[in-house]
Amino acid sequence: MKRVLIWVLSLWSVVGIGLSRSEAGLEELNAKERLLSFLEKDVSPGANSLLVPLTLIQGAASKGAVCLDGTPPGYHLDRGFGSGSNSWLIQLEGGGWCNTIRSCVFRKTTRRGSSRFMEKQINFTGILSNKAEENPDFYNWNRVKLRYCDGASFAGEGQNEANQLYFRGQRIWSAAMEELMAKGMQNAEQALLSGCSAGGLASILHCDEFKDLFTGTTKVKCLSDAGMFLDATNVAGGHTLRDMYGGVVTLQGVQNNLPSTCTSQMPPISCFFPQNLIANIKTPMFLLNTAYDAWQVQESLIPSSADPNGFWRDCKMDHAHCNSSQMQFLQDFRSQMLNAINDFSKSNQNGLFINSCFAHCQSERQDTWYENDSPRIGNKAIAVSVGDWFFDRMAVKDIDCPYPCDNTCHNLIFK
């Protein structure tokens, strides 16, 4: 059965009418925050889903490994058991980026920039679930969710003293890995680094670093969920995401932490785009992505700034309302996605699950990860495909036919 998720979206460009520039700017930031919160929301955590408490990394501050506001970073850990006692899954939280002083100062007032505002406990669902019937291959592993509070995919290094902003994503990554290694990850027999959205980009950026933490006997792989952010052209011919990434890389001092295999060939901004990184990753990597990623449609392809007259508004809110030329634009985006992963897909060690849905982040949501009606390609659910790939049960290079052929999607509709 095809399921749609409906969210009431207050477009800042509409709400902002009659507001001052300052008020409209704040409303835009609030609207972006609401969009991120909606995209991350699990629609079916279940009455008996596992609640896992937050652990702050107490020694992190002395190493300068702090959130945007200077508070210590944190994570949630549920210990493995049985055959999974010596296996580890690290899930890097997503949540966009901040690319200006203003957006980073705003971010300090949310859980995306300060551990003061992080939930004290969260549900572990999907790939983090501890139930075999919800998460067949990883349910009994040591499962960790590393919270995201730096705004640069765990890759920044610097600070802005005037505004008391700390850009310490790379240090947070290092401090967290050091703590988890001391808590038993150093003895891992197998390990999977995963992440969703900005965390999916982070899993690409840090994949080989993660592999280097372990000895040669540990089986190590990486998974990027909704992390294939493309350097795409928006409906007005601009490059929304390239402009945003330029701010992130420059403001947060990301350039020195990007892979030298890329920065030796092209500008640092280009090396924040996964399409310029994935072919050079040595560690086995799995790309889980929708071909019509909902966040990219909303924020990169059809941002309000590129559609001031609202020509694309109905299409943006519900793909069923796109006319033929608008749908062709989205099909061209899918083609760009497939072209970007072409070389990556040729490696036998890599895996793919690219379904033709209008969604975002499918590994942490129980309804999309593993349920009776979860999305499928060739009658195989995402959880099964990822497990087949990780445990080398079979090669997984699953690419869906173009929209509208897939009736298993859990598409997102914005009203």
Side-chain angles (χ1 to χ4, degrees):
M1 178 189 297
K2 189 173 184 178
R3 183 184 302 180
V4 295
L5 307 170
I6 300 177
W7 181 52
V8 178
L9 173 66
S10 296
L11 282 176
W12 75 269
S13 59
V14 176
V15 176
I17 294 174
L19 300 179
S20 68
R21 177 179 292 184
S22 158
E23 290 170 324
L26 180 60
E27 180 54 41
E28 178 185 7
L29 293 171
N30 278 316
K32 290 179 184 295
E33 171 64 23
R34 290 193 294 271
L35 174 61
L36 289 171
S37 295
F38 169 69
L39 291 173
E40 293 168 355
K41 183 177 176 62
D42 194 320
V43 296
S44 57
N48 299 314
S49 64
L50 179 68
L51 282 170
V52 181
L54 175 68
T55 299
L56 296 180
I57 306 175
Q58 297 300 336
S62 63
K63 301 167 186 170
V66 292
C67 299
L68 281 170
D69 70 336
T71 53
Y75 62 89
H76 305 257
L77 163 63
D78 186 51
R79 289 285 184 178
F81 56 92
S83 61
S85 296
N86 290 320
S87 298
W88 287 75
L89 186 152
I90 311 299
Q91 181 83 354
L92 302 178
E93 184 179 32
W97 307 270
C98 64
N99 62 320
T100 64
I101 293 293
R102 182 182 184 124
S103 61
C104 290
V105 167
F106 173 82
R107 196 177 178 98
K108 282 201 302 182
T109 67
T110 75
R111 60 185 173 85
R112 305 183 203 284
S114 172
S115 58
R116 286 189 299 164
F117 303 109
M118 290 178 185
E119 306 92 324
K120 297 300 181 279
Q121 54 183 12
I122 62 171
N123 291 102
F124 267 24
T125 58
I127 197 171
L128 294 172
S129 172
N130 65 336
K131 299 179 179 65
E133 64 270 23
E134 296 178 348
N135 187 24
D137 283 308
F138 307 106
Y139 71 97
N140 62 351
W141 285 31
N142 297 280
R143 298 164 333 282
V144 179
K145 184 162 187 175
L146 180 58
R147 301 305 296 268
Y148 177 40
C149 64
D150 64 280
S153 289
F154 297 93
E157 176 54 52
Q159 67 186 74
N160 181 281
E161 294 181 9
N163 294 280
Q164 295 183 303
L165 287 168
Y166 299 90
F167 306 127
R168 301 290 174 76
Q170 183 69 34
R171 296 196 206 189
I172 292 173
W173 159 264
S174 298
M177 292 305 105
E178 183 179 336
E179 169 134 332
L180 294 172
M181 291 295 276
K183 290 200 167 187
M185 192 168 73
Q186 61 185 351
N187 301 316
E189 295 170 358
Q190 45 196 3
L192 175 62
L193 176 66
S194 182
C196 153
S197 193
L201 170 56
S203 71
I204 291 171
L205 290 169
H206 292 289
C207 183
D208 285 339
E209 277 182 79
F210 185 67
K211 174 69 166 67
D212 290 343
L213 293 171
F214 302 95
T215 64
T217 58
T218 306
K219 180 174 188 169
V220 182
K221 296 189 178 184
C222 305
L223 163 65
S224 173
D225 176 11
M228 270 301 293
F229 297 97
L230 298 184
D231 188 6
T233 303
N234 66 32
V235 294
H239 290 84
T240 312
L241 201 51
R242 171 167 281 271
D243 293 342
M244 178 197 285
Y245 278 3
V248 175
V249 170
T250 302
L251 177 66
Q252 297 217 35
V254 172
Q255 56 268 26
N256 292 332
N257 295 320
L258 295 170
S260 59
T261 51
C262 181
T263 54
S264 62
Q265 305 291 322
M266 56 184 70
I269 295 170
S270 298
C271 297
F272 205 58
F273 281 100
Q275 66 200 70
N276 299 320
L277 300 172
I278 53 175
N280 291 319
I281 295 174
K282 301 183 183 69
T283 309
M285 166 74 70
F286 191 101
L287 295 179
L288 165 60
N289 232 94
T290 58
Y292 316 95
D293 179 77
W295 185 91
Q296 292 186 72
V297 170
Q298 293 283 322
E299 295 289 312
S300 175
L301 299 182
I302 320 174
S304 299
S305 58
D307 185 36
N309 297 318
F311 175 74
W312 282 83
R313 187 181 187 279
D314 290 347
C315 172
K316 173 180 177 176
M317 296 309 205
D318 183 348
H319 56 275
H321 294 158
C322 298
N323 63 36
S324 58
S325 64
Q326 290 171 331
M327 186 51 67
Q328 186 56 54
F329 179 84
L330 296 176
Q331 297 291 18
D332 290 345
F333 178 75
R334 173 182 179 271
S335 297
Q336 186 179 346
M337 174 83 69
L338 298 185
N339 288 337
I341 62 176
N342 184 49
D343 288 344
F344 170 90
S345 67
K346 294 175 182 175
S347 170
N348 292 332
Q349 70 178 10
N350 295 331
L352 291 169
F353 191 102
I354 310 294
N355 54 341
S356 292
C357 304
F358 290 80
H360 184 73
C361 284
Q362 300 178 97
S363 64
E364 293 180 11
R365 302 177 67 107
Q366 194 59 54
D367 69 299
T368 48
W369 176 247
Y370 192 68
E371 278 190 354
N372 290 335
D373 68 341
S374 59
R376 282 163 164 73
I377 298 179
N379 204 34
K380 195 157 69 170
I382 294 168
V384 176
S385 295
V386 172
D388 283 348
W389 164 78
F390 185 89
F391 294 103
D392 303 307
R393 294 191 290 248
M394 65 176 64
V396 180
K397 301 286 175 66
D398 295 332
I399 298 178
D400 216 349
C401 47
Y403 173 85
C405 71
D406 190 338
N407 64 0
T408 69
C409 290
H410 293 198
N411 289 318
L412 297 171
I413 293 177
F414 305 86
K415 292 292 186 183

